[in-house]
Amino acid sequence: MASTTYAPGKISGAVINLGSENCVIAEVNSSGSRIGIYGQIGIVKDSQLTDNTDQTVLTSEGGTQYKRDGTRNVEFTLTIMQSDPISVQSVNLMRGKYFAIVKEHSQTTVSNGTTDKYPFILMPLAKFVPEQTIKQPGGETQLKFALEKVQASTTMDLAAAALNNTFSTTISGNSVFAANEYWKVAEFS
C-alpha cells in the first residue's frame, strides 16, 4: 500500500495569504555549531525557500531514458525593508560566514488538520552568498543564503532564538537535525 504522508488532504485552515516579517540569525561554524548570538535580521518584506534537485537523464543503447536524482541545491532568499548602514553593507559583514536561521512562516496560526499552530522554518547551516541587491526607491536589500546539509547530528537551541517577543508565539526547546538534513518545519502553539 502506498504511503499518504505526503498528501495531507484539503485543509482550509492551512491556506494563508500573509507570511511573517520575523526572522533571526546567529553565526555558526561550518559544522553548524552556534558561535554567535541570535539577532533580528530586519523587517522582512518577502522570503523564498527553494529546494531543487537536478534530474540527470541517462539513455540506454536501446533509447530508453532513465532519470536519476542529481545535485540538490537549497537556497533561502529574503528582502529586508531597511536601509540602515548595517543592512546596506551586510554583504561586507556576512561574507564567508555561516548562519543558523529561524524564520517565522506565518504571523497567524495555520491548521495542520488537527490543531492550529504557528509554523517556523529552521535552517541550521546557511552560508551567506556574497551577492547583494540594494534597491531604491524603497531602501530594500535582498540577501541570499545557500543551505548546506549538516554532516552529523546538529541541534538548534530554539530558546536562544526567542528574542524579546520577536515572534508571534513563544518558541522553546531544541530541534535536532540528522546528518544530511538541510531544513525542517517546526510548529508552536
Side-chain angles (χ1 to χ4, degrees):
M1 175 180 276
S3 171
T4 59
T5 57
Y6 56 86
K10 291 183 177 181
I11 305 170
S12 62
V15 178
I16 58 173
N17 62 348
L18 294 175
S20 171
E21 64 185 37
N22 302 318
C23 182
V24 297
I25 64 171
E27 188 175 351
V28 297
N29 63 22
S30 61
S31 63
S33 296
R34 190 166 51 90
I35 57 175
I37 61 171
Y38 279 97
Q40 292 179 336
I41 198 159
I43 300 170
V44 178
K45 177 182 180 182
D46 57 45
S47 63
Q48 179 172 318
L49 176 67
T50 304
D51 190 338
N52 180 42
T53 301
D54 294 330
Q55 296 293 300
T56 302
V57 178
L58 304 171
T59 305
S60 71
E61 274 188 37
T64 304
Q65 292 188 336
Y66 299 92
K67 292 185 179 177
R68 300 290 182 260
D69 286 348
T71 304
R72 184 175 177 185
N73 298 300
V74 186
E75 288 187 342
F76 179 65
T77 305
L78 53 87
T79 304
I80 55 175
M81 299 172 47
Q82 295 176 204
S83 35
D84 58 275
I86 292 175
S87 297
V88 171
Q89 64 177 335
S90 57
V91 71
N92 296 324
L93 301 171
M94 299 167 70
R95 185 182 310 273
K97 296 182 179 178
Y98 291 87
F99 296 91
I101 303 173
V102 178
K103 172 67 173 76
E104 184 177 48
H105 188 59
S106 174
Q107 284 182 237
T108 58
T109 58
V110 176
S111 175
N112 62 14
T114 307
T115 59
D116 292 350
K117 295 188 176 187
Y118 293 91
F120 287 77
I121 299 174
L122 310 177
M123 299 162 266
L125 189 58
K127 183 162 187 181
F128 179 71
V129 176
E131 170 187 312
Q132 183 177 14
T133 302
I134 303 168
K135 183 180 174 187
Q136 290 292 7
E140 298 172 354
T141 302
Q142 188 176 68
L143 305 172
K144 184 187 292 188
F145 298 87
L147 276 58
E148 296 184 8
K149 63 183 174 185
V150 294
Q151 298 301 314
S153 180
T154 302
T155 301
M156 286 183 75
D157 178 2
L158 300 178
L163 300 170
N164 304 322
N165 299 318
T166 297
F167 301 117
S168 301
T169 190
T170 301
I171 63 173
S172 61
N174 294 320
S175 184
V176 179
F177 286 77
N180 299 320
E181 284 189 291
Y182 289 80
W183 63 277
K184 67 171 63 172
V185 174
E187 297 177 310
F188 296 93
S189 299

